[in-house]
Amino acid sequence: MALSLAASPCPNDTFVFHALVHGLVPGAPAIDMTFADVDVTNRAAEKGEFDLVKVSYAALPWLLDKYHLLPCGGALGRGCGPLVLTNGDDRWADGDLRGATVAVPGDRTTAYLMFRLWTGWRAPARIAAVPFHEIMPGVATGRFDAGLVIHEARFTYHQYDLTKLVDLGEWWEKDTGMPIPLGAILARKGAVDPHEAAEWIRTSVSMAWANPDASRDFVLEHAQEMELDVVRQHIDLYVNEYTLDLGAEGLAAADALLERAAAVGVIPLIEPLTV
């Protein structure tokens, strides 16, 4: 039987998993892939719906009873953090969003967790969790006062005449000196051997780097009308050394994020992560 895999349709995920999904990784099982926004995969993983799944690091406290954290395949790096955008309204120029309605891509996303740590006591008046594709148009039209965006939005928000209020990745790196832990890959306990799964994914990543043209059609098919140069920038930024191996630095960054959030009561406290 095929193993089920859920991840986003973003270029970094389709690039990473192309070889695995298409049966090109020696010894790997058949894979049945589902594409969904990360807020959807976070909720599905809580129910144990997929064998392999891309989730937010922020969601791990609710998932590690059912899943193993894998040391590869995820999204973690530098210069790749979430952005808070506005339409240029001077009311929010000082970063104080207490009277604002802010659109976010999910209440258990790493982006939202970082946003809560950044805002502190200056919490917005209202949070609206909406599908990612609605955020930038919603801010541009005034439906939302601000929007929290991830991934390719850092390359495309100018198309909506939006203004960057803060780069939460820059804020995090300046404050901690650590890379930004965004998305993790999990393997369902009892369904997938985590060590074997890690080797399949590492091989898939290595094959993608060795022959990037092989995944081109698959990536573009799911890139949601993204321009080719944006696709390339996206992959170059989010598929990096941490995708191949989190290492001690990657784990330390994820632990630091979760510990800080637990300290202010945003998420439950969990034991240090292991892979």
Side-chain angles (χ1 to χ4, degrees):
M1 292 182 63
L3 292 179
S4 57
L5 164 66
S8 81
C10 292
N12 60 310
D13 285 343
T14 48
F15 182 79
V16 163
F17 290 111
H18 169 263
L20 181 59
V21 169
H22 288 82
L24 303 177
V25 175
I31 300 291
D32 180 14
M33 189 166 191
T34 296
F35 294 103
D37 283 349
V38 70
D39 191 49
V40 174
T41 60
N42 286 342
R43 300 294 179 181
E46 194 170 359
K47 302 173 185 177
E49 291 183 2
F50 295 100
D51 299 319
L52 295 167
V53 60
K54 172 84 171 285
V55 299
S56 302
Y57 272 102
L60 292 188
W62 293 275
L63 304 178
L64 293 180
D65 60 329
K66 298 181 179 68
Y67 286 89
H68 296 284
L69 173 64
L70 297 186
C72 54
L76 188 146
R78 297 184 183 274
C80 60
L83 307 180
V84 180
L85 306 175
T86 72
N87 63 7
D89 192 321
D90 289 340
R91 288 179 296 167
W92 321 118
D94 64 355
D96 190 338
L97 295 170
R98 278 179 288 178
T101 296
V102 180
V104 304
D107 60 1
R108 286 190 181 171
T109 60
T110 304
Y112 183 51
L113 184 59
M114 284 188 161
F115 177 76
R116 292 187 68 179
L117 292 174
W118 173 72
T119 56
W121 56 271
R122 303 176 303 167
R126 178 172 174 265
I127 293 294
V130 300
F132 177 69
H133 69 271
E134 296 182 16
I135 295 178
M136 289 192 291
V139 177
T141 60
R143 178 184 172 193
F144 310 115
D145 297 307
L148 177 64
V149 299
I150 55 177
H151 290 325
E152 70 275 4
R154 70 169 38 249
F155 308 118
T156 62
Y157 72 88
H158 299 292
Q159 298 172 12
Y160 295 87
D161 293 322
L162 300 180
T163 299
K164 180 177 67 176
L165 185 62
V166 63
D167 183 325
L168 293 177
E170 289 181 359
W171 166 78
W172 170 262
E173 290 185 66
K174 182 178 179 180
D175 196 50
T176 68
M178 295 180 173
I180 308 148
L182 297 170
I185 305 297
L186 306 183
R188 188 160 62 90
K189 294 178 179 179
V192 189
D193 182 289
H195 302 292
E196 290 183 353
E199 287 308 307
W200 304 332
I201 293 170
R202 284 193 175 113
T203 300
S204 191
V205 173
S206 297
M207 293 176 74
W209 278 335
N211 186 9
D213 288 341
S215 62
R216 177 188 173 99
D217 291 345
F218 183 59
V219 170
L220 293 178
E221 176 187 354
H222 298 283
Q224 300 176 345
E225 302 180 2
M226 213 179 293
E227 295 178 2
L228 184 58
D229 63 331
V230 173
V231 170
R232 289 176 179 146
Q233 290 177 76
H234 186 115
I235 292 171
D236 289 344
L237 184 60
Y238 291 99
V239 185
N240 52 48
E241 66 270 24
Y242 299 107
T243 312
L244 196 63
D245 190 357
L246 277 176
E249 187 177 37
L251 279 177
D255 279 332
L257 178 69
L258 298 177
E259 287 168 5
R260 285 182 173 218
V264 296
V266 174
I267 62 171
L269 180 65
I270 62 172
E271 295 294 320
L273 298 172
T274 59
V275 292

